[in-house]
Each structure stands twice: as C-alpha cells, then as structure tokens.
Amino acid sequence: MISQCKRAAKQALQGRWWFMVGAGIILTILTSIPSIFSPATYVEEESLTALQQLIDFTTLILSILLIPLSVGWFWLTLEITRNKNVEMTMLFEPFLKMFWKSIWVSIVIGFFTFLWTLLLIIPGIIKAISYSFTLYILKDRPELSAIQAIKESRKMINGYKGKAFLLSLSFIGWFLLGIITLGLGFLFIYPYYSVTYAQFYEEVKAKQNDINVEE
C-alpha cells in the first residue's frame, strides 16, 4: 500500500510540483509572521516590558487565528490527490467554511496528543496517527463536530496505524536530505509527503467503503 500511495502521489503531482512549492512557501511565510513580532526567546521573562508581553500575547492569538491555513494545506493536498483543479485560494478555504471549527479541532488534537505524550513518547505517536485523518474527514463531512471527526479518524485508521507509521518512516531518507540541503529540499519533500499521506487516506477510505458495501 505504501509504494502504491507514493506512486499515486507522484502521478498526482505531475505538472503541479511548482504550484505546491509556491503554496508551501506562502504557507510558511504566513504562519511565520507571528514569530517575527515575538520577543526573543532568550530574554528572561522578568526583563520583559509590559509592551513586550502584550506583543507576546498578540503573537499567540495571531498564531491561533492562522491555524486554518494549515488546515487548508491538508485540504489542498486532498484535492491534488483527487486530480481536481486547484487554485491557490483553496489554501484559505477553511477561513470561509469552518474558521472556528478548524481552530478548535486543531487545538483539541494538539491537546490530546500532548497528554498522551506526557505518559510516553510511543503512546503520543500512536495517538497522533489515530487523529491524522481528522482534517481530511472534516473536508469530506463538514457537518461533523470536531470531536465527532476525531472519533471517526480513530475508527477509520484502526487496523492501519502500523502502515501509517511505516509510511512516515519511509520518508526519513527524504527528511534527512531536506536537512542536508539546509531546508531547501523540503520545498519539494513536504508536498510529496503530504500528498502521499492524503493518498493513504483515500486508500483506507476506499477499502472501508468496499467493506461496507459487502456487508
């Protein structure tokens, strides 16, 4: 299944590599804006002025308000996987369709994953995988609440968590290449990985649909 997902991702990206590179650059620039205004991390908290603390708080709020951009990236890769016509404006689609829900579901996923990681790293990884279909599911079923989408993700990926882990593991060589190239390689690696994982979602979804039809 993993090699099949990678082949399908490469095929879906044909003629769209530079589009996804551009989308990735826009995503990176916009989500990095809050950090530009944040006080230096090496400054002791006691030495921060009231203005700097206000800027820090504003940075946090701005980072939260920009979460839908990351959700838009997930949705964009899903459209690429489905060979749909895509536009850069699709990156901003969650702002219009489910602004607060996309923020809430991302916060809930992060909070749950953090709690499980406090126990041990491995449970945290397992839970992160369990929640990994959530944003795709919200794209397909926007009527679901954040919690319902998370539960549906856990149900859907049950029996496929091992394959999901191996899929991510298979990109380690690519991630190392991205580091060696001082991050430049990630301009192409991240779209490749993202579309591959979206394809993995499509494969699992298709298999479950076949099972439901047989039943």
Side-chain angles (χ1 to χ4, degrees):
M1 178 184 283
I2 294 176
S3 58
Q4 180 179 344
C5 288
K6 286 185 172 182
R7 284 196 301 270
K10 290 177 182 177
Q11 184 175 358
L13 283 166
Q14 285 184 0
R16 298 178 173 183
W17 280 104
W18 287 108
F19 172 85
M20 291 302 289
V21 168
I25 291 174
I26 291 175
L27 175 68
T28 302
I29 291 175
L30 292 180
T31 54
S32 299
I33 288 176
S35 62
I36 297 175
F37 301 99
S38 179
T41 56
Y42 57 82
V43 177
E44 295 182 3
E45 185 175 354
E46 293 77 7
S47 64
L48 292 177
T49 65
L51 178 59
Q52 288 173 322
Q53 291 178 348
L54 177 61
I55 293 174
D56 202 31
F57 176 75
T58 304
T59 297
L60 174 62
I61 298 301
L62 185 58
S63 297
I64 292 174
L65 295 178
L66 286 174
I67 286 176
L69 267 177
S70 298
V71 177
W73 174 265
F74 278 82
W75 290 8
L76 185 62
T77 58
L78 194 57
E79 294 293 275
I80 291 286
T81 299
R82 293 169 177 174
N83 292 314
K84 298 286 186 68
N85 291 326
V86 292
E87 298 176 357
M88 203 63 72
T89 54
M90 291 182 176
L91 197 61
F92 304 90
E93 192 174 339
F95 283 98
L96 302 175
K97 292 190 173 180
M98 55 176 69
F99 179 70
W100 293 112
K101 187 190 292 186
S102 63
I103 291 175
W104 175 239
V105 73
S106 299
I107 291 175
V108 172
I109 289 173
F111 179 69
F112 284 168
T113 303
F114 172 72
L115 289 182
W116 281 100
T117 305
L118 288 178
L119 298 177
L120 281 173
I121 295 297
I122 294 179
I125 293 174
I126 293 174
K127 286 301 176 181
I129 292 173
S130 297
Y131 306 146
S132 63
F133 284 171
T134 303
L135 300 181
Y136 303 128
I137 291 171
L138 278 180
K139 168 70 174 174
D140 289 335
R141 302 174 61 186
E143 73 279 1
L144 295 180
S145 69
I147 300 300
Q148 288 173 331
I150 289 172
K151 289 182 178 179
E152 188 64 26
S153 176
R154 290 171 53 192
K155 176 183 176 182
M156 187 175 177
I157 206 168
N158 187 36
Y160 295 93
K161 287 193 284 287
K163 285 186 173 62
F165 177 74
L166 290 176
L167 187 152
S168 296
L169 199 65
S170 70
F171 276 86
I172 282 186
W174 287 107
F175 295 151
L176 290 175
L177 179 61
I179 294 172
I180 292 173
T181 57
L182 302 179
L184 291 177
F186 284 110
L187 292 175
F188 296 92
I189 295 168
Y190 190 55
Y192 178 31
Y193 171 76
S194 299
V195 175
T196 300
Y197 206 90
Q199 181 63 41
F200 178 65
Y201 164 77
E202 290 287 84
E203 294 288 339
V204 173
K205 181 182 176 182
K207 288 181 180 295
Q208 292 203 343
N209 287 340
D210 289 342
I211 293 175
N212 292 334
V213 170
E214 291 176 0
E215 292 178 350

